[in-house]
Amino acid sequence: MVSLSGPPATNLLQFLFLGLSTIVSPLQAEFQLYVPTGLTKLQAVEGAEVVFPVWYTMPGELPDAQPWEVAIVLWFHEQKGKESNQLLSLINGKLSTSTPRVSLAHGMSSRNVSLSLQALQEKDSGSYRCSVNVQDSEGTNLGNGVKTIELNVLVPPAPPSCHLQGVPRVGANVTLRCQSPRSKPLAQYQWERLPPSPKVFYPPVLDPARGSLTLTNLSSAMSGVYVCKAQNMVGSAQCNVTLEVSTEPRAAVVAGAVVGTLVGLVLLVGLVLLYQRREKAPEELANDIKEDATAPRTLPWPKGSDTLSKNGTLSSVTSARAFQTSHGPPRPNVLTPTPSLSSQALSSPKHPRTKEVPPQPVSLSPGGVSSSTLGRMGAVPVMVPAQYQAGSLV
């Protein structure tokens, strides 16, 4: 029991003070979670380290954590359109992380629960949410809170690639192009020509967003080394290209030489093939046997002509012309020669005949002599052999 002594007015003031103290004490024990003003959105460069500053306080107590405080700390990484990923957890004094790049910046026994993330990558951009719940040793909840910090990881331009588009000859137009494969934010490009004839280019010949430089009506004085610089707010990189303005269309000459060489090779191969074909043509014609060729026509044997035997010997057949005499009566004491066969024609071996002509008797009646008269004179009738289709005698 509290005893009040002194004047009544003084006692009344002390009573009011004690009552207000009893009301205010629970308010002083309220939990508070803080993030520094202006640090709710962070930017960091790829490859660097970033700290997400978060701490809590217990008003009316010492700034350091007390032995009876038990803090539960959870850190999450959230990206739009993706599920949240838990990076760190501190429960009952046990710390666990999903990656070795993550840790508490000030240890586990501190009211500062800031998160440290090392070796930043572009994919680390997003929202980082911290959830803290403080209890006493008996498990009574003393307070909890949630804070979110945005992170944007910036990427310096990667080394760009430079190339020339067009034929660099006098009077022509060319375009120099420069492009960086990675940059966040997007890089801006600047072209310049190095000494001994330095020059910096600006729009409209330069497109700083696309990195293209257009050169028109080239001259020999425009030859040189051109450098392209890609840069953004966190870094820069560059490349260069050498421009040599030629007075001759070397590209066209080279292209013509190549085409001419190819055409010459094709013509040479064609001539060789044509020559070989002409060499083989006579041999193929000589060996080509036409099965459906027509046999030569057989010439008729004239009556009274001499006959050749198959083996090449001449068969002497007395021609009927020998018996021909002048018209008129026969002179006395003149003997009429008797036709005789001096030699017999050799019969040829039998061959298949396409058309056999039967032998016809030849009537030898020279000078109007009848056959009966010739028979009495001892004449012998002669058979003229038929000719075989292929030219041999039968």
Side-chain angles (χ1 to χ4, degrees):
M1 177 179 289
V2 179
S3 61
L4 298 177
S5 60
T10 304
N11 292 337
L12 180 60
L13 292 175
Q14 290 179 352
F15 179 82
L16 292 175
F17 178 78
L18 292 175
L20 292 175
S21 299
T22 305
I23 297 174
V24 174
S25 295
L27 297 177
Q28 291 180 342
E30 285 183 357
F31 170 86
Q32 295 292 331
L33 189 63
Y34 295 95
V35 173
T37 304
L39 295 181
T40 56
K41 294 184 178 180
L42 302 179
Q43 287 187 343
V45 180
E46 186 180 45
E49 177 184 2
V50 65
V51 175
F52 302 91
V54 178
W55 68 87
Y56 70 91
T57 60
M58 303 291 291
E61 301 290 344
L62 297 175
D64 295 333
Q66 300 301 311
W68 48 267
E69 293 180 13
V70 178
I72 299 175
V73 181
L74 300 175
W75 275 97
F76 298 91
H77 179 210
E78 299 175 344
Q79 290 179 314
K80 187 176 181 179
K82 297 181 180 180
E83 295 183 357
S84 61
N85 178 30
Q86 181 175 313
L87 298 177
L88 180 145
S89 65
L90 177 62
I91 301 175
N92 296 327
K94 294 182 179 180
L95 180 67
S96 63
T97 60
S98 62
T99 172
R101 298 188 297 127
V102 174
S103 63
L104 287 175
H106 298 278
M108 295 182 294
S109 61
S110 172
R111 290 177 177 175
N112 191 328
V113 291
S114 299
L115 178 70
S116 174
L117 180 59
Q118 300 176 347
L120 285 177
Q121 302 174 6
E122 185 180 1
K123 64 180 182 179
D124 292 332
S125 297
S127 299
Y128 289 79
R129 177 166 55 88
C130 177
S131 176
V132 179
N133 185 15
V134 179
Q135 299 176 351
D136 59 15
S137 57
E138 296 179 356
T140 303
N141 187 16
L142 300 178
N144 57 74
V146 176
K147 292 295 182 179
T148 301
I149 300 176
E150 298 289 335
L151 173 65
N152 183 25
V153 179
L154 305 179
V155 180
S161 60
C162 295
H163 64 277
L164 171 67
Q165 183 177 355
V167 181
R169 63 171 179 267
V170 173
N173 302 333
V174 297
T175 301
L176 305 181
R177 297 192 179 275
C178 174
Q179 193 67 38
S180 175
R182 294 181 68 245
S183 178
K184 184 181 178 182
L186 294 177
Q188 295 292 307
Y189 300 93
Q190 177 65 52
W191 279 95
E192 62 177 321
R193 186 172 62 194
L194 297 181
S197 300
K199 184 178 181 180
V200 178
F201 299 92
Y202 300 96
V205 295
L206 171 68
D207 187 342
R210 297 183 179 181
S212 61
L213 174 64
T214 302
L215 301 177
T216 60
N217 194 19
L218 291 179
S219 62
S220 300
M222 300 174 69
S223 299
V225 179
Y226 290 73
V227 177
C228 172
K229 179 182 291 186
Q231 56 187 356
N232 62 9
M233 58 188 302
V234 293
S236 64
Q238 65 183 27
C239 63
N240 62 76
V241 61
T242 301
L243 177 64
E244 295 181 0
V245 181
S246 174
T247 58
E248 297 179 359
R250 292 184 300 176
V253 172
V254 173
V258 172
V259 173
T261 302
L262 293 177
V263 172
L265 291 176
V266 171
L267 293 177
L268 180 60
V269 173
L271 291 176
V272 171
L273 295 177
L274 181 61
Y275 177 77
Q276 293 179 352
R277 185 175 182 83
R278 288 185 177 180
E279 289 291 330
K280 293 181 179 179
E283 298 179 1
E284 294 178 355
L285 292 176
N287 296 331
D288 187 14
I289 300 175
K290 298 182 179 179
E291 296 181 356
D292 56 349
T294 304
R297 296 181 59 186
T298 303
L299 297 177
W301 286 81
K303 294 182 179 181
S305 62
D306 296 336
T307 304
L308 292 177
S309 62
K310 184 178 180 181
N311 57 2
T313 60
L314 177 64
S315 300
S316 300
V317 180
T318 304
S319 174
R321 291 192 297 268
F323 296 97
Q324 295 179 358
T325 58
S326 60
H327 298 280
R331 290 180 295 176
N333 303 324
V334 177
L335 298 176
T336 301
T338 303
S340 61
L341 182 64
S342 61
S343 62
Q344 299 292 335
L346 299 176
S347 61
S348 60
K350 294 182 179 181
H351 295 281
R353 303 176 183 179
T354 58
K355 184 177 181 182
E356 184 176 357
V357 180
Q360 300 292 333
V362 180
S363 175
L364 298 177
S365 54
V369 182
S370 64
S371 59
S372 59
T373 304
L374 292 176
R376 289 193 300 269
M377 293 176 63
V380 179
V382 178
M383 298 289 291
V384 178
Q387 188 177 7
Y388 185 58
Q389 186 176 1
S392 60
L393 296 178
V394 179

